[in-house]
Amino acid sequence: MSNSAPTNRRPVFVVGCPRSGNTLMGCLLDKHPDFAVFFEQSTFYSLQTTWSEHVDSGADPRESFADVALQGLAPWLEQQSCISLPRDEVLDVLGQVEPCWPDLLDAFMRLQMRKAKPGASRWGDKTPQNVARMASIVEAFPQARIIYVYRDPRHSVVSLSNPSFPHASDDELVNAEVVRHYQRVYEQQKQQVPPANLIEVRYEELLDDPPTQLARVCSFLQVDFDEAMLGDVDPEVAQAIGWVHYKGWQKIRPQPSARTIELRAETQARLEPLLAQLGYDYRPTSARTRLRAQALTLPFRGVNQLLNALWRVRHPSAGDLFLKDLPSWSDYLRWVIPHSASTRA
């Protein structure tokens, strides 16, 4: 099913490495009256891949879209007392548009937007892994806007390694490789995205001067800056979007980004090329430490390369697989069998 490439739709996608400020940016946009940005719906990273594979196997495009979307969003919908997406209603909305990917996704996201935030006019998706599908996003929606949020990679590693965050490895060296992988994928995808569709936001600058940075983002999105972005969110909006207790719904307050970073020397060594690329100050480690770091991370890097090769064979259009740890045998099987793209690494 080819793209219809609608030019009058301007969705917003917030991407970047986890624990780098993506969710905060999504919250800030949701405070703007024009936007309804939903969290972790993986519209392109998993939904499009799974839907395309079902359609290629002969499934009805609209029926398959409804099934894949509602199944993928089931855990999210269970937490949203004010959102109801009955399958019949979804199919009714999908029946009013062409059975191609951009039209179906736009219709479905607009349905969510009407229920979650009726006054909004533009929908969005905050999913870190969508960084691997930026070219596909712009192909489907030429007027889409992508916001890439990045942060001092040392702080991202510290945050990923915090025991209170269960969705990453306990090994900070592995988390350093995860951060490096996201940046590599971003740089690859960036080459395929027109500059007019993409903006980069430095997390620390956003915290230091929210009005200036948010005005810059609003200019990029071609909307007027709204002072509401600097305050607390409407509780009904937070409930409809999700993650009700996340601190980003409140006014921007000083974050722990200025605290002392305590990482292993080997972890620092793995992050040095990225620190230099992104313009963060650091004290170089020794050549011996860098060699040791390479050796210690070899198992994870090797598995990552192998699984990504298998992943691309099974799911050619899915983009990179983002590992969060050394996987189990059951993970191997889930990730390489057909129609498994909705499984999150």
Side-chain angles (χ1 to χ4, degrees), residues 303-324:
V303 168
N304 187 35
Q305 292 180 3
L306 173 61
L307 278 183
N308 265 286
L310 294 173
W311 178 259
R312 282 188 286 270
V313 169
R314 287 291 190 178
H315 313 286
S317 65
D320 272 41
L321 175 68
F322 292 104
L323 298 186
K324 65 178 183 180

Side-chain angles (χ1 to χ4, degrees), residues 127-141:
T127 299
Q129 297 95 328
N130 275 342
V131 72
R133 305 302 307 281
M134 295 196 309
S136 297
I137 288 171
V138 175
E139 180 183 2
F141 298 104

Side-chain angles (χ1 to χ4, degrees), residues 50-267:
T50 308
W51 174 80
S52 298
E53 291 176 354
H54 281 285
V55 172
D56 289 343
S57 298
D60 178 81
R62 296 186 178 93
E63 294 274 350
S64 179
F65 189 100
D67 291 338
V68 170
L70 293 177
Q71 180 181 5
L73 294 180
W76 176 79
L77 291 171
E78 290 176 0
Q79 302 176 24
Q80 314 308 313
S81 59
C82 54
I83 292 289
S84 174
L85 293 174
R87 188 174 186 276
D88 290 344
E89 184 177 4
V90 172
L91 283 173
D92 180 63
V93 169
L94 299 181
Q96 301 173 34
V97 299
E98 293 296 319
C100 61
W101 168 250
D103 286 21
L104 294 174
L105 177 61
D106 184 67
F108 180 73
M109 297 301 287
R110 287 183 179 278
L111 173 62
Q112 287 192 79
M113 181 172 66
R114 289 195 296 271
K115 290 175 175 286
K117 193 176 176 183
S121 59
R122 292 170 67 179
W123 59 265
D125 176 9
K126 189 280 300 185
T127 299
Q129 297 95 328
N130 275 342
V131 72
R133 305 302 307 281
M134 295 196 309
S136 297
I137 288 171
V138 175
E139 180 183 2
F141 298 104
Q143 297 302 315
R145 293 294 181 263
I146 302 173
I147 302 174
Y148 177 74
V149 187
Y150 69 97
R151 180 186 190 183
D152 186 324
R154 292 166 294 193
H155 285 292
S156 295
V157 169
V158 169
S159 187
L160 287 167
S161 305
N162 192 314
S164 65
F165 185 69
H167 309 296
S169 174
D170 295 331
D171 186 341
E172 66 179 38
L173 266 173
V174 167
N175 292 330
E177 294 304 316
V178 171
V179 174
R180 285 167 52 101
H181 188 195
Y182 268 91
Q183 184 66 25
R184 284 197 301 270
V185 171
Y186 169 70
E187 294 295 340
Q188 294 166 1
Q189 288 285 307
K190 179 181 177 180
Q191 303 305 313
Q192 305 175 59
V193 175
N197 295 86
L198 177 65
I199 189 173
E200 297 178 351
V201 177
R202 189 168 177 138
Y203 179 72
E204 293 84 2
E205 293 179 352
L206 176 62
L207 296 182
D208 289 342
D209 189 359
T212 299
Q213 292 303 314
L214 290 176
R216 173 173 165 258
V217 170
C218 287
S219 177
F220 166 71
L221 298 175
Q222 297 180 314
V223 297
D224 293 331
F225 169 69
D226 195 298
E227 291 288 340
M229 301 177 78
L230 300 176
D232 294 341
V233 77
D234 182 334
E236 293 185 1
V237 173
Q239 177 63 43
I241 300 298
W243 301 31
V244 178
H245 302 296
Y246 180 67
K247 60 188 177 184
W249 293 123
Q250 303 169 345
K251 296 178 182 178
I252 294 183
R253 292 178 170 82
Q255 302 291 313
S257 293
R259 69 188 178 194
T260 302
I261 308 171
E262 297 182 359
L263 292 173
R264 295 167 55 186
E266 292 83 5
T267 306

